[in-house]
Amino acid sequence: MSAISPLIKRSLVDQALEQLRQRISDGVWSVGQRLPTEPELVAELGISRNTVREAMRVLAFSGLIEIRQGDGSYVRAVVDPLDTLKVLSRCSLEQARETRHILEVEAIGLASLRRTDEDLLALRRALQASSEHYHGDLEHYIACDLVFHRLLVDAAHNPALSELYRYFSSVIGAQLRQSLSIIPRHQHVFDLHVEILEAVERQDPEQAKALCRQLINEP
């Protein structure tokens, strides 16, 4: 009997989660609103206090709610981040490439406004390392180039942008290697990287974004 009790408990938690998620997605509780207390949820859902507490922990872990010690639980989002991750994981390579490009252009515009001296120093070092391998070993060049582009996005100082960019970069990594292995590396393409960094340093977001679009459209 004890061997199956965890399954029964898990089933009850799943049922509680489904009901709580449904109420949030239906707008019964809006973003920023304080959720009912544990005793109130127990009465409303007809389940035990332990089941409610476990379900609330899962919702907090997924980012749907925020539990504030001594204050209560508040709705943080109406879309479950785990559902979003499932959608992202099913996107095609072309969709991943397109999304990465959109993120990069906008992030570089922000980086031009927000970059620090430390950001510029790290970017110069990364670009120098990239230049040393541009006409050489492909794997070394790709590794250095990815670092440079990640640092550009990181200079926007928006963790959400940085994380999404890293994800989509990893998805299309193999595709990048395949294209670069058959397309000759032209100096003017690398020079665009230099010009992008110069625009970021001058804090010229529109020029930086225009140069980034030009780089993206290179074969």
Side-chain angles (χ1 to χ4, degrees):
M1 186 73 175
S2 59
I4 64 170
S5 57
L7 295 177
I8 296 172
K9 182 181 178 183
R10 184 73 256 163
S11 175
L12 291 173
V13 172
D14 289 341
Q15 290 174 42
L17 279 169
E18 185 178 350
Q19 292 184 67
L20 290 168
R21 283 194 177 108
Q22 192 63 51
R23 281 165 170 74
I24 292 172
S25 65
D26 288 347
V28 175
W29 304 312
S30 57
V31 173
Q33 183 177 343
R34 187 177 185 275
L35 271 67
T37 62
E38 278 186 6
E40 289 169 336
L41 288 173
V42 165
E44 183 176 339
L45 302 178
I47 52 181
S48 74
R49 191 160 186 164
N50 284 340
T51 302
V52 168
R53 189 169 298 155
E54 181 63 23
M56 296 292 276
R57 284 199 192 102
V58 174
L59 291 178
F61 179 78
S62 71
L64 265 181
I65 69 168
E66 177 186 358
I67 299 175
R68 302 176 189 172
Q69 287 301 118
D71 187 17
S73 301
Y74 291 79
V75 179
R76 191 166 182 263
V78 294
V79 176
D80 193 328
L82 296 178
D83 291 337
T84 302
L85 289 174
K86 289 175 187 175
V87 173
L88 293 180
S89 69
R90 292 194 293 267
C91 73
S92 68
L93 279 175
E94 179 56 28
Q95 290 165 342
R97 185 192 65 80
E98 187 176 70
T99 306
R100 178 181 182 263
H101 288 167
I102 293 168
L103 291 171
E104 185 164 21
V105 169
E106 294 307 315
I108 285 175
L110 290 174
S112 300
L113 300 172
R114 300 174 180 173
R115 92 291 185 279
T116 63
D117 290 341
E118 290 77 12
D119 291 328
L120 292 175
L121 180 60
L123 282 162
R124 289 190 202 104
R125 286 174 175 166
L127 191 58
Q128 177 60 37
S130 185
S131 71
E132 292 169 4
H133 298 286
Y134 187 63
H135 295 293
D137 180 75
L138 179 61
E139 284 299 318
H140 278 93
Y141 168 65
I142 290 174
C144 293
D145 187 57
L146 287 174
V147 169
F148 175 74
H149 285 270
R150 283 199 299 266
L151 288 172
L152 274 173
V153 173
D154 288 346
H157 295 281
N158 181 324
L161 266 177
S162 292
E163 198 61 36
L164 283 170
Y165 183 78
R166 279 171 170 74
Y167 173 76
F168 286 110
S169 290
S170 70
V171 170
I172 66 170
Q175 187 185 49
L176 281 173
R177 281 169 173 78
Q178 184 179 8
S179 342
L180 288 171
S181 65
I182 58 177
I183 297 172
R185 280 169 269 172
H186 298 294
Q187 185 60 40
H188 77 274
V189 175
F190 182 80
D191 292 343
L192 281 171
H193 291 73
V194 177
E195 292 176 47
I196 288 171
L197 180 51
E198 289 172 348
V200 169
E201 188 165 4
R202 289 195 310 272
Q203 294 192 299
D204 187 344
E206 293 311 314
Q207 179 65 6
K209 288 163 71 173
L211 288 165
C212 185
R213 291 189 191 98
Q214 188 178 338
L215 180 61
I216 286 167
N217 291 324
E218 284 290 334

